[in-house]
Amino acid sequence: MNRIKSKLQEDKKLLSIYFTAGFPEINDTVNIIAELESNGVDMVEIGLPFSDPLADGPTIQESSTDALKNGMTSETLFSQLECIREKVAIPLIIMGYFNPVLQYGVEDFCKRCAEIGIDGLILPDLPLAEYQAHYQDIFEKYGLINTFLITPQTSEARIREIDEASDGFIYMVSSASTTGAKSGFDKKQNDYFDRISAMNLKNPQIVGFGISNTETFQAATRHSKGAIIGSAFIKMLRKEGINGIPGFVQGVRG
Amino acid sequence: MNYNVDEKGYYGDFGGAYIPEMLYPNVEELRTQYLEITASSEFQDQFDSLLKSYVGRPTPLYFAKRLSEKYQTKIYLKREDLCHTGAHKVNNTIGQILLAQHLGKKRIIAETGAGQHGVATATVCALMGLECIVYMGEVDIKRQAPNVARMKMLGATVVPATSGSKTLKDATNEAIRDWINNPTDTHYIIGSVVGPHPYPDMVARFQSVISEEIKSQLLQLEGKENPDYVIACVGGGSNAAGAYYHFLNTPEVGIIAVEAAGKGIDTGESAATSVLGKMGIIHGSKTLLMQTHDGQITEPYSISAGLDYPGVGPLHAHLYASGRGEFISITDDDAMKAGLELSKLEGIIPAIETSHAFAIFENRKFKPDDIVVVNLSGRGDKDLNTYIEYFNL
């Protein structure tokens, strides 16, 4: 069974961490993942840096720019992850923009992911319709789970469509914003969490954007299966480096 | 072959809407409504009336006698430089501001490179009393100071884009991020035939007034609607899309697109996307794109801020790939020379973007009885500093 699916069946709220591969240093990738697992993180999104990250705020933009300056490429990332499954067992997802995947070749990219033991992809700018028309067969052939996003503006009909097309979890963006724009949740967002919860979707939801500490982690996971932290983790990495990981994870788990 | 957009938003293999889900409702709202709104007689009346009484349309189709004598062919200039604000950009902003009003939007955002689209957006926002925020690369803010001042006088807020190369591409990224953060009350007026569907088609339709007028004007002047060639400069490609639009499916009209070679195609400082680009995704559109082997978007270069863009509209990518359009790239030096020549021969100082189109006459021969229409997309006032420095005036 795909590691994402078995993880989703565990009876706990999942903590997932996003980081940009190649940041702060080019060869930190494997160490960061291993350190996250040993501190009890349930799932990791490995960010493949892109020159023009449209959906990201300044924190992830800057980490992407630094990672690219450090020389990170798709090929470098794959070679760093070559032996990752000898070290870690938690689900690993590659998250990035579609163009680098398109240039690598979607099938070649998926094949490398499967060989390494990557469990899924999140490509926010690959739209549902394009995925279904051209790429779904390839993803399925290599056993990769593709995760789609929903936002507070997504219509109920579209959420149902995305739920139908998903086979894993739904990435529930907490607010209409780029990453790292807001911290904490207001009443409108809590209403949105309640509204989605009441839809009884077949796929569990994992909430992202706006989560940075125990309080926001608990608020986000009140109705959902888990939460993803990105910008707050990258800010910590920039300040404290890999040594800051245990303290950061404890600070979220409480 | 048909060169108009298909129902899925593609021109051949190019186009589509590669946008994150956060933008889906905004873009979907436009996609489902733009044709109906713009086809309504209420909209048409408002659009036509403003183009006539505010923009100053129709713009003249002028026979350039001395230029024609020099190059031994019949050259007509479509005088978009005479539009209010000094370039064709305002045709599109008038259309989009009316559309935004029909959609009930209160806040307008835009990106700008040379500042022409920013000025045209600030102008229509002032006209309609709507809040206007223009994103502009920090580098462009420095090299296009007069346009920044114009936008401020018109009441717009100019926000510097400080990421990446700090030029048009980055200003566009920032505008898109603003739209993600303000999804309900804001309309994004994209300035070129780029971005996710329906933008390329919508902007081309608003600019298509250019070729519509060329047809009727040419009929009066030459007794026939179709020229032998239409020539335009292409960055994102909005003036070109407007000049070609009504000739796209008329194969006897030759379509020539002039791109910016910068310091030369092989110098690493160029913006000639059709030569240097490969299929990729930029700003929500699948198109030809200057990028690294690894799919990172590279920084283009051109002396003209308006052509300094690493992609090209999907319509133009299709014209290139299908062979319908003839693509030529012109260096900074050749463009500057052509701008000076037009000034001296015809008494018209063109924008440096437009100067690229005129450089074609030194690079390509036309027959004496060919009717060649050049879209004179903008005037050169904004570029005076660059001309002064280049020619030591």
Side-chain angles (χ1 to χ4, degrees):
Chain A
M1 186 192 252
N2 184 295
R3 292 178 198 89
I4 297 171
K5 285 194 182 173
S6 24
K7 181 58 81 174
L8 288 166
Q9 286 171 2
E10 289 180 15
D11 184 24
K12 65 187 285 206
K13 300 293 185 184
L14 305 181
L15 170 60
S16 187
I17 297 279
Y18 168 95
F19 77 101
T20 307
F23 171 85
E25 303 296 335
I26 182 83
N27 288 320
D28 284 343
T29 313
V30 171
N31 293 340
I32 290 175
I33 297 169
E35 188 68 5
L36 287 170
E37 180 178 67
S38 66
N39 281 280
V41 167
D42 297 297
M43 192 155 74
V44 175
E45 274 100 41
I46 305 163
L48 180 64
F50 183 50
S51 55
D52 293 75
L54 288 181
D56 287 300
T59 303
I60 293 180
Q61 285 175 46
E62 283 158 19
S63 68
S64 303
T65 306
D66 289 357
L68 292 172
K69 274 190 197 145
N70 290 341
M72 184 50 73
T73 65
S74 304
E75 198 53 63
T76 305
L77 179 61
F78 285 137
S79 61
Q80 288 176 347
L81 296 175
E82 202 83 63
C83 303
I84 191 73
R85 284 303 171 199
E86 294 167 12
K87 285 194 175 171
V88 298
I90 54 173
L92 298 175
I93 294 172
I94 290 183
M95 181 165 185
Y97 290 81
F98 187 44
N99 197 50
V101 179
L102 190 65
Q103 300 313 317
Y104 196 92
V106 177
E107 171 127 28
D108 290 346
F109 195 95
C110 290
K111 187 161 175 271
R112 283 304 296 274
C113 285
E115 286 164 2
I116 287 165
I118 297 295
D119 305 289
L121 295 176
I122 306 176
L123 303 167
D125 62 342
L126 173 60
L128 178 63
E130 296 293 338
Y131 169 73
Q132 288 176 321
H134 303 291
Y135 305 116
Q136 186 167 355
D137 292 348
I138 300 173
F139 277 55
E140 285 171 1
K141 177 175 164 192
Y142 293 102
L144 294 170
I145 288 177
N146 188 24
T147 297
F148 299 101
L149 278 58
I150 61 170
T151 83
Q153 265 66 45
T154 311
S155 69
E156 181 167 342
R158 175 108 177 139
I159 293 174
R160 296 272 176 218
E161 194 186 349
I162 285 170
D163 190 36
E164 206 44 56
S166 299
D167 183 28
F169 68 94
I170 290 174
Y171 190 132
M172 187 171 153
V173 176
S174 68
S175 65
S177 72
T178 44
T179 53
K182 294 173 185 170
S183 71
F185 304 119
D186 56 21
K187 178 166 184 312
K188 236 167 72 184
Q189 284 167 287
N190 284 314
D191 290 349
Y192 159 63
F193 295 160
D194 291 344
R195 175 166 64 87
I196 301 302
S197 168
M199 285 180 74
N200 290 315
L201 301 175
K202 77 177 170 84
N203 292 278
Q205 304 95 54
I206 298 189
V207 178
F209 292 36
I211 299 138
S212 56
N213 52 28
T214 308
E215 192 195 344
T216 43
F217 180 76
Q218 285 176 354
T221 55
R222 194 162 44 94
H223 292 311
S224 74
K225 182 64 192 167
I228 302 171
I229 302 181
S231 297
F233 181 70
I234 286 169
K235 272 187 196 157
M236 184 285 294
L237 270 185
R238 189 177 280 285
K239 231 166 86 185
E240 298 174 45
I242 294 182
N243 294 337
I245 291 179
F248 183 85
V249 176
Q250 278 161 26
V252 175
R253 286 285 195 197
Chain B
M1 196 181 272
N2 186 315
Y3 295 94
N4 295 102
V5 76
D6 70 19
E7 63 203 17
K8 288 184 172 160
Y10 279 85
Y11 300 86
D13 294 332
F14 305 99
Y18 292 80
I19 47 169
E21 192 64 29
M22 294 81 125
L23 285 177
Y24 183 84
N26 314 31
V27 171
E28 189 66 2
E29 179 183 36
L30 275 180
R31 188 186 70 82
T32 53
Q33 297 195 48
Y34 82 110
L35 289 176
E36 196 183 328
I37 292 174
T38 55
S40 72
S41 59
E42 189 196 352
F43 182 96
Q44 290 281 326
D45 289 350
Q46 289 174 313
F47 186 52
D48 293 347
S49 154
L50 282 171
L51 287 186
K52 185 171 175 222
S53 58
Y54 188 71
V55 174
R57 303 206 72 92
T59 59
L61 185 68
Y62 162 73
F63 177 64
K65 187 161 170 289
R66 296 188 67 206
L67 198 65
S68 298
E69 275 166 9
K70 170 151 190 202
Y71 291 105
Q72 294 295 300
T73 189
K74 291 174 88 170
I75 302 171
Y76 282 91
L77 309 183
K78 182 57 175 164
R79 298 292 309 274
E80 293 301 297
D81 60 317
L82 295 177
C83 287
H84 178 43
T85 72
H88 71 288
K89 292 286 186 191
V90 72
N91 301 326
N92 169 47
T93 60
I94 292 273
Q96 286 204 48
I97 200 87
L98 291 172
L99 187 68
Q101 284 186 319
H102 279 262
L103 293 169
K105 305 292 178 182
K106 304 283 178 233
R107 184 174 173 273
I108 301 296
I109 56 172
E111 85 296 337
T112 197
Q116 288 305 103
H117 174 59
V119 168
T121 303
T123 298
V124 297
C125 287
L127 181 68
M128 301 300 179
L130 291 175
E131 184 187 0
C132 181
I133 294 113
V134 179
Y135 290 89
M136 187 169 187
E138 210 170 41
V139 169
D140 291 335
I141 287 181
K142 283 191 191 122
R143 61 178 167 177
Q144 304 286 341
N147 272 344
V148 176
R150 289 166 82 194
M151 286 185 266
K152 288 182 179 166
M153 276 191 78
L154 293 161
T157 306
V158 180
V159 181
T162 56
S163 57
S165 59
K166 306 177 174 62
T167 60
L168 178 56
K169 160 176 89 77
D170 311 286
T172 309
N173 290 342
E174 289 306 326
I176 291 174
R177 290 183 186 119
D178 180 308
W179 211 19
I180 288 174
N181 283 288
N182 297 282
T184 48
D185 66 339
T186 299
H187 176 68
Y188 176 20
I189 301 191
I190 295 185
S192 192
V193 287
V194 301
H197 178 65
Y199 276 102
D201 183 52
M202 183 170 74
V203 177
R205 282 167 185 265
F206 290 143
Q207 293 293 0
S208 71
V209 64
I210 300 172
S211 49
E212 192 183 315
E213 289 176 6
I214 292 173
K215 281 180 89 129
S216 60
Q217 290 168 322
L218 213 52
L219 185 63
Q220 287 204 328
L221 293 161
E222 290 281 345
K224 57 187 244 185
E225 284 191 330
N226 294 332
D228 295 293
Y229 296 95
V230 183
I231 301 171
C233 63
V234 173
S238 69
N239 93 80
Y244 304 157
Y245 194 88
H246 290 280
F247 305 116
L248 287 172
N249 299 316
T250 310
E252 55 270 33
V253 179
I255 282 173
I256 301 179
V258 183
E259 293 182 304
K263 293 182 178 164
I265 294 290
D266 301 321
T267 61
E269 291 187 80
S270 177
T273 306
S274 71
V275 185
L276 299 169
K278 270 193 319 172
M279 189 187 271
I281 313 272
I282 181 169
H283 299 140
S285 181
K286 188 187 264 187
T287 187
L288 293 172
L289 171 63
M290 290 169 58
Q291 55 185 316
T292 65
H293 173 72
D294 201 44
Q296 308 296 340
I297 299 174
T298 52
E299 311 295 356
Y301 163 81
S302 164
I303 194 168
S304 71
L307 302 182
D308 205 349
Y309 185 69
V312 65
L315 161 66
H316 300 298
H318 181 47
L319 293 177
Y320 176 76
S322 65
R324 172 71 181 94
E326 180 181 339
F327 280 65
I328 292 179
S329 34
I330 294 295
T331 61
D332 288 356
D333 289 341
D334 287 351
M336 296 302 277
K337 234 184 286 169
L340 188 63
E341 180 178 82
L342 184 73
S343 307
K344 300 218 160 150
L345 285 180
E346 297 291 346
I348 299 169
I349 301 174
I352 296 175
E353 288 78 8
T354 316
S355 297
H356 285 74
F358 284 95
I360 194 167
F361 295 110
E362 286 290 342
N363 288 274
R364 186 195 189 288
K365 289 272 164 278
F366 294 93
K367 292 197 286 268
D369 59 348
D370 278 344
I371 296 173
V372 180
V373 175
V374 183
N375 196 33
L376 214 172
S377 54
R379 67 177 184 230
D381 307 36
K382 71 178 175 64
D383 294 316
L384 214 51
N385 273 335
T386 313
Y387 280 127
I388 289 169
E389 276 176 32
Y390 188 87
F391 291 113
N392 287 316
L393 297 171

